[in-house]
């Protein structure tokens, strides 16, 4: 599963720009509305590592459940940028 997102126009959440993988997991990520390690990665400009999805409370419960159902146990949110911020 991989997805690329960016801040929504009002910067209160994230918008998915492109994705591949589990539609169920992607739906859970969209429903979480920018809450989790991906928001931390964008704010900090540094990767946010999730070593154990099942136990990481930064990840919304519905995202953890969908990930577990697809055998995903860990993840990393990597901020992508080009040029000066």
């Amino acid at each position: 599963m991989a997805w690329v997102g960016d801040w929504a126009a009002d910067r209160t959440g994230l918008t998915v720009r492109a994705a591949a993988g589990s539609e169920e997991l992607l739906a859970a990520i969209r429903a979480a509305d920018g809450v989790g390690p991906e928001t931390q990665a964008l704010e900090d400009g540094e990767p946010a590592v999730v070593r154990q999805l099942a136990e990481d409370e930064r990840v919304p419960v519905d995202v953890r459940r969908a990930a577990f159902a697809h055998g995903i146990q860990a993840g990393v949110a990597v901020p992508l940028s080009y040029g000066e911020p």
Side-chain angles (χ1 to χ4, degrees):
M1 163 88 211
W3 69 275
V4 176
D6 198 359
W7 290 112
D10 61 5
R11 290 189 62 89
T12 60
L14 300 179
T15 300
V16 178
R17 302 282 184 206
S22 164
E23 288 299 320
E24 179 187 357
L25 182 51
L26 182 57
I29 290 169
R30 280 189 171 116
D33 199 27
V35 175
E38 62 278 7
T39 304
Q40 177 187 349
L42 276 175
E43 289 175 350
D44 297 346
E46 298 289 330
V49 177
V50 179
R51 297 193 193 298
Q52 295 182 341
L53 272 169
E55 298 177 11
D56 195 317
E57 292 183 5
R58 296 176 299 170
V59 180
V61 172
D62 290 342
V63 174
R64 287 188 266 166
R65 286 182 184 142
F68 182 78
H70 293 284
I72 299 171
Q73 298 177 20
V76 62
V78 180
L80 304 175
S81 63
Y82 177 77
E84 295 296 317

